[in-house]
Amino acid sequence: MSVLASIIIIIILSVVKNPCDAVRPVVTFTPHWKIVYEGDTVTMSCDVEAATQHTDYSWYKNSEYIGQYVQKYTITSAEEKDGGDYMCRAGGDYSLPARLHVITKGSAERPVVTFTPNWRKIFTWETVTITCDTGSTVRGNQRYYWYKDKVILYEEKQRNITITYAAPKHSGEYQCRAGSGDVSLPVRLEVSIGSLILQAPPNVYEGDTLTLRCHSRPLYKAEKEAVFHIGSKDIKSEQNILDIPNVTTTMTGIYGCTGKVGGDDRKDETFISIQALFDTPQITTYWSSVTEGYAMTLTCYTKRNPARSATELHFAFYRDGQNVQDFSASATYSVLAVQLVHSGYYTCDVSDPSGSVRKRSDAFHIQVQELFSYPEIKLVHTDIITEGAGMTLTCNTVIKHGYTLKPQFAFYRDGHTVQDFSASATYSVPSAQPVHSGNYTCDVRSPRVSVRKRSNVLCVQIKVGVDQPQLKLLPEAATVGDEIVLLCESRNGSLPIHYRFYHNGTLLGNITVHDKKAAVLSLTISSLTMAGPYYCDSGNYFFPQHQQSDTVHLLVMAPVVNMTVTTDNEDEGLAFGSPVTMTCSIQRASSPSYLWLHNDEVVERDSEMYQLRDEGAVLYIESLTRHHTGTYRCNASIALTPSTAYSVLSNTQDINVQEQSPADRNILWPALGILLLLILILTVLLFLYRHRLAPVLARCHRKQPPADVTVDKPAVRVGERPMLEDAHRSDTRDNDLGEYSYITPTENHANEDVCYAYIDINRKRAASDTAKDNDDFSVMYSVVKYPGDTVKTQTTEETSDSTNIYQNFTKAH
């Protein structure tokens, strides 16, 4: 193939479009605008691509079928009811809706009469300008016709007329007409000859602010304060003007005011009509029943007040009280392909731009008719599918209302497509495997309208046989009296699974499980004969052949029975230094190991104070000491596995050592020696003190008092130091004892039975020493003489037994 031929083919392929990519038809209008006046002719065309040929066309208005026509649909004389949303269908494709607006002459061209100033009642001799307001629909060279009380007054090119000096004859209803249009609604003007009037605008609409003026003639002396009467309410105002915001139609009625004019009360009343800004809306559609998959359009219809035809309105739609379309300028709510969920009670709200006026329609019920039922998915012929068997699923639905419909079906497993949309309502698997298990659903759709429904969920489990089970023993070794657990589990297999347990070929029990867990059998070891091989097997209802596990062996050991601790000496007290032997006795056990405890602390095997004999069953103490006193126990254990053991603790055995140990005596004797040495030192010190005081006490001798001197017995109290007169202090020094000062008893006390001596002892200090409390002290000595004793003079040696020395120490501060 040449290069030129390849380029031509590429160009041709780029120009030719896939038929499936065709664009939907479009509705167009002739003339080319969507707003027409009442009585005009309009033609709507269902335009499709030139390359697409269609032989049939269908036309719809507000989602309702209006007949089979050719490509063009014409309305020869449009009426207000012809307005709405139009759609067409060319072959199997639908266009988007296109709206046609039909404007009536009355609503579009009727003018409004207004006053300037904007009061409906004035005094005589006042001026007022009356205007014919036509909005933007009247051309500049239009002629205006004026009417009073339905009689023509003027034909002018100006839309304003002015009354310079109002008179009672000018009272009446005024109307106007622009060209050949409709005549306006009448507006009344009142001219009063009174002294006080209540003024209000000629036209008041709901949502407006109503302004009332209690007005008096300029030449009269009138107070500004006025009282306004609104129904049964009286409102006092310091000014003669009252504003009432956001009025409603329910406020229509008679209004009045009272004021003082020339000192007298004057009152005036007038009827004020609050006109509706727009009518209460209504929801309209051609049919209250709509078939699912087709388009539906609801219209919120209302009529504006002709005087306020230019007011912008906003529309909102609700279904069962829930908003389905928020406020917008669109008065329609459309659904291109309705579903069953679109059934319900619809209402619409209409509001002015400020939201001060808002009205709701009555509820309109829409029932969406079902095109076909929700599908149901089922297994064919059986509810149980075993591995390797065939499997067929069907998707069943019912076509409603006699529709000729060829639905399409699709199948899904766990949300993934297993068979795409086709005319087949079945899905088949020749040989089912475990991977085909899952949750199946099917969808049904209409090829011409957008309706698609999903079925219920069908859980399909492909039944498979069990694999070889695994058996576990917990633990793998035990003693008589222990409890063991056997766990048998097949990891694959359809539930329920039946398990059986065996020991040496004997059936122990069977268990059926309904979930993915192991079967558990508990046994209590009653004898050594329960040791040996164990195995299990498993199977299910779908595959009767059972699978057997591998064999697992159980080791059973004899437990420790009747263990006691005894000693070779049963006395309550054991002598210090004596030996003792404690034995851990066991009636029956399988190769136990021993552990000794002294006061709940382990006795080490290499201890110097203990000896372990007979593989630890005997604890020997060669020489008892105080350390050995306490409680002894024996622990025997049997190793079941390297990581587990069976352990038993014996009774307690108390050991009490009575005598003290040599170590205690070695501590006592040095303490006694130190005590005796202290007593000896104190004795020497006392002896030294008495020996030093002997010369002092020898000075106390008997002398006869002179004849002219009266001797009084000294008054001495216990604990007091007697006053000694004519003291002669002499300083004597001793190396360590400090300075001693003694006083020889006076002559006045020589004949007394008790002789006193007082000594001050002052300790010598170095220059750097600091005086401390209690460093200086004093001692008082006394000598008691027995009758018949004689004392020699001071120069004569004393008789050895002449006196007994008493020491009376008094601390002096």
Side-chain angles (χ1 to χ4, degrees):
M1 182 181 293
S2 65
V3 177
L4 180 59
S6 301
I7 294 174
I8 293 172
I9 291 174
I10 292 173
I11 293 173
I12 293 173
L13 291 176
S14 64
V15 173
V16 177
K17 293 185 177 179
N18 190 330
C20 296
D21 297 332
V23 181
R24 65 171 65 197
V26 178
V27 174
T28 59
F29 294 88
T30 304
H32 298 292
W33 49 75
K34 299 180 181 180
I35 299 177
V36 298
Y37 290 99
E38 188 176 15
D40 291 345
T41 299
V42 61
T43 299
M44 289 169 280
S45 176
C46 188
D47 293 339
V48 294
E49 290 187 344
T52 305
Q53 298 295 327
H54 293 287
T55 59
D56 61 327
Y57 294 88
S58 299
W59 285 93
Y60 301 85
K61 178 187 175 186
N62 296 332
S63 303
E64 304 299 334
Y65 178 69
I66 57 176
Q68 299 284 345
Y69 296 90
V70 292
Q71 185 179 3
K72 297 182 183 295
Y73 173 57
T74 301
I75 300 174
T76 56
S77 181
E79 299 179 7
E80 185 178 5
K81 67 178 182 179
D82 293 323
D85 293 322
Y86 287 84
M87 295 173 54
C88 71
R89 181 176 64 84
D93 297 319
Y94 289 83
S95 71
L96 293 175
R99 172 161 298 178
L100 175 66
H101 295 274
V102 179
I103 301 176
T104 62
K105 290 182 179 180
S107 61
E109 298 179 359
R110 174 170 286 181
V112 177
V113 173
T114 60
F115 297 155
T116 304
N118 194 29
W119 303 118
R120 61 184 297 178
K121 183 183 291 188
I122 61 176
F123 284 121
T124 55
W125 299 95
E126 290 186 331
T127 301
V128 62
T129 300
I130 306 175
T131 303
C132 188
D133 190 358
T134 58
S136 60
T137 60
V138 178
R139 294 182 290 273
N141 58 354
Q142 186 66 265
R143 297 186 67 84
Y144 295 88
Y145 300 88
W146 285 96
Y147 303 86
K148 178 178 178 290
D149 296 330
K150 298 184 180 181
V151 177
I152 189 166
L153 289 178
Y154 310 103
E155 181 180 345
E156 300 285 346
K157 289 186 178 181
Q158 300 296 326
R159 62 192 189 114
N160 299 326
I161 60 173
T162 300
I163 301 174
T164 305
Y165 301 103
K169 66 178 182 179
H170 293 120
S171 298
E173 292 183 344
Y174 288 82
Q175 293 175 281
C176 71
R177 177 168 59 87
S180 60
D182 288 344
V183 179
S184 69
L185 295 175
V187 177
R188 184 167 185 80
L189 175 66
E190 295 183 17
V191 181
S192 175
I193 62 174
S195 59
L196 183 91
I197 59 175
L198 176 61
Q199 292 183 314
N203 296 307
V204 183
Y205 302 93
E206 56 184 348
D208 290 349
T209 296
L210 172 61
T211 300
L212 301 177
R213 182 186 183 195
C214 199
H215 181 47
S216 61
R217 288 183 179 275
L219 298 179
Y220 287 88
K221 291 183 178 180
E223 297 180 6
K224 289 186 177 181
E225 185 176 302
V227 177
F228 292 89
H229 311 289
I230 305 174
S232 60
K233 283 186 177 181
D234 291 339
I235 301 175
K236 188 175 182 180
S237 175
E238 295 181 356
Q239 303 293 329
N240 61 348
I241 294 179
L242 178 66
D243 290 331
I244 305 174
N246 294 327
V247 296
T248 63
T249 56
T250 60
M251 299 173 69
T252 297
I254 297 176
Y255 292 74
C257 76
T258 301
K260 286 187 178 295
V261 179
D264 298 328
D265 288 339
R266 296 288 187 266
K267 183 177 181 181
D268 187 35
E269 292 182 343
T270 186
F271 180 82
I272 300 176
S273 175
I274 311 299
Q275 303 181 53
L277 187 63
F278 53 86
D279 295 341
T280 300
Q282 293 180 344
I283 286 186
T284 61
T285 185
Y286 280 91
W287 303 100
S288 61
S289 178
V290 184
T291 303
E292 63 177 343
Y294 289 86
M296 176 188 73
T297 299
L298 301 179
T299 301
C300 188
Y301 176 78
T302 186
K303 188 175 181 180
R304 296 174 177 85
N305 192 300
R308 295 286 185 91
S309 60
T311 302
E312 181 183 359
L313 298 180
H314 293 167
F315 304 86
F317 289 84
Y318 303 85
R319 180 178 65 246
D320 297 330
Q322 301 296 319
N323 181 261
V324 293
Q325 181 172 297
D326 211 349
F327 278 103
S328 68
S330 175
T332 60
Y333 166 67
S334 297
V335 180
L336 293 180
V338 297
Q339 307 297 324
L340 295 179
V341 295
H342 293 112
S343 297
Y345 288 89
Y346 285 81
T347 57
C348 69
D349 282 7
V350 182
S351 172
D352 67 341
S354 66
S356 59
V357 182
R358 181 170 175 175
K359 299 180 181 180
R360 173 162 291 189
S361 71
D362 293 333
F364 186 83
H365 186 253
I366 296 292
Q367 180 62 51
V368 178
Q369 299 297 326
E370 195 174 30
L371 187 62
F372 53 84
S373 65
Y374 277 91
E376 182 180 9
I377 189 170
K378 289 183 177 181
L379 278 169
V380 177
H381 302 311
T382 182
D383 293 333
I384 298 176
I385 306 297
T386 58
E387 185 177 13
M391 178 183 72
T392 300
L393 300 175
T394 62
C395 189
N396 303 315
T397 187
V398 178
I399 309 300
K400 298 294 185 69
H401 305 297
Y403 290 103
T404 57
L405 182 68
K406 294 181 180 179
Q408 295 178 337
F409 304 87
F411 290 83
Y412 306 87
R413 181 179 65 245
D414 297 330
H416 300 285
T417 304
V418 294
Q419 181 173 297
D420 210 348
F421 279 105
S422 67
S424 175
T426 60
Y427 167 68
S428 298
V429 176
S431 178
Q433 301 299 321
V435 294
H436 294 114
S437 298
N439 294 319
Y440 283 84
T441 57
C442 69
D443 282 8
V444 181
R445 73 178 183 183
S446 169
R448 300 193 63 178
V449 293
S450 299
V451 180
R452 179 172 174 173
K453 297 181 180 180
R454 175 155 293 187
S455 71
N456 57 303
V457 177
L458 177 64
C459 180
V460 176
Q461 289 290 334
I462 307 302
K463 305 301 182 181
V464 298
V466 298
D467 57 2
Q468 183 184 15
Q470 301 293 324
L471 179 64
K472 291 183 180 180
L473 289 178
L474 297 177
E476 296 180 355
T479 63
V480 175
D482 288 350
E483 185 178 276
I484 64 171
V485 176
L486 287 76
L487 295 92
C488 186
E489 181 180 15
S490 290
R491 297 189 177 275
N492 295 314
S494 297
L495 300 174
I497 299 177
H498 183 69
Y499 293 93
R500 297 181 296 194
F501 295 87
Y502 297 89
H503 173 231
N504 286 330
T506 301
L507 179 65
L508 298 176
N510 54 76
I511 297 174
T512 301
V513 297
H514 297 270
D515 50 19
K516 290 292 184 179
K517 293 182 180 179
V520 180
L521 180 66
S522 298
L523 297 176
T524 299
I525 304 302
S526 59
S527 66
L528 297 177
T529 59
M530 295 186 69
Y534 288 80
Y535 66 89
C536 69
D537 62 19
S538 62
N540 59 18
Y541 170 80
F542 315 103
F543 295 86
Q545 183 65 37
H546 279 233
Q547 302 289 328
Q548 183 173 314
S549 71
D550 294 333
T551 300
V552 179
H553 288 269
L554 175 67
L555 175 64
V556 179
M557 304 180 69
V560 177
V561 178
N562 295 335
M563 183 176 67
T564 58
V565 173
T566 58
T567 63
D568 57 353
N569 191 338
E570 299 297 334
D571 295 339
E572 294 183 356
L574 297 176
F576 173 84
S578 63
V580 66
T581 301
M582 286 177 279
T583 304
C584 188
S585 303
I586 299 175
Q587 181 178 349
R588 184 181 69 217
S590 298
S591 303
S593 60
Y594 298 91
L595 182 69
W596 286 89
L597 302 174
H598 175 213
N599 293 332
D600 293 330
E601 293 185 1
V602 177
V603 175
E604 303 295 339
R605 287 186 175 272
D606 57 354
S607 174
E608 296 180 355
M609 303 183 68
Y610 301 95
Q611 296 181 20
L612 297 178
R613 300 176 179 178
D614 294 344
E615 297 182 353
V618 175
L619 179 65
Y620 176 74
I621 302 174
E622 184 177 3
S623 178
L624 287 174
T625 65
R626 175 176 294 178
H627 170 78
H628 295 104
T629 298
T631 300
Y632 289 82
R633 288 193 293 180
C634 173
N635 181 284
S637 60
I638 300 173
L640 301 178
T641 65
S643 60
T644 59
Y646 180 85
S647 179
V648 177
L649 195 63
S650 73
N651 62 307
T652 60
Q653 180 67 47
D654 294 330
I655 298 295
N656 184 18
V657 181
Q658 290 185 341
E659 295 185 0
Q660 294 181 347
S661 64
D664 295 335
R665 292 195 294 271
N666 291 336
I667 296 173
L668 180 61
W669 285 114
L672 293 175
I674 292 171
L675 181 61
L676 292 175
L677 180 61
L678 291 174
I679 294 173
L680 179 62
I681 292 172
L682 291 174
T683 303
V684 172
L685 291 175
L686 290 174
F687 176 78
L688 290 176
Y689 276 114
R690 296 186 63 179
H691 178 71
R692 279 185 171 277
L693 294 174
V696 176
L697 298 176
R699 295 178 182 275
C700 184
H701 57 278
R702 183 184 305 271
K703 290 186 178 182
Q704 295 297 327
D708 55 349
V709 177
T710 302
V711 180
D712 297 326
K713 201 167 182 120
V716 179
R717 294 195 298 265
V718 177
E720 290 186 338
R721 184 175 61 193
M723 302 300 296
L724 305 179
E725 302 175 356
D726 299 336
H728 301 281
R729 181 181 299 272
S730 64
D731 297 336
T732 61
R733 299 183 179 274
D734 195 20
N735 294 332
D736 296 328
L737 296 177
E739 297 180 358
Y740 290 79
S741 297
Y742 62 91
I743 301 173
T744 304
T746 62
E747 296 298 332
N748 295 335
H749 302 279
N751 296 324
E752 296 179 2
D753 293 333
V754 179
C755 182
Y756 298 92
Y758 176 78
I759 302 174
D760 284 330
I761 302 175
N762 301 313
R763 185 174 180 80
K764 294 171 60 177
R765 299 184 182 88
S768 60
D769 289 348
T770 303
K772 298 181 181 178
D773 295 339
N774 304 326
D775 275 1
D776 299 335
F777 59 92
S778 62
V779 181
M780 182 175 68
Y781 292 87
S782 63
V783 177
V784 179
K785 294 179 290 183
Y786 289 96
D789 289 346
T790 60
V791 181
K792 296 181 179 182
T793 62
Q794 187 174 358
T795 58
T796 306
E797 184 179 359
E798 295 181 10
T799 303
S800 60
D801 295 328
S802 62
T803 62
N804 287 336
I805 299 175
Y806 292 85
Q807 298 180 14
N808 187 8
F809 296 90
T810 302
K811 183 176 180 181
H813 297 283

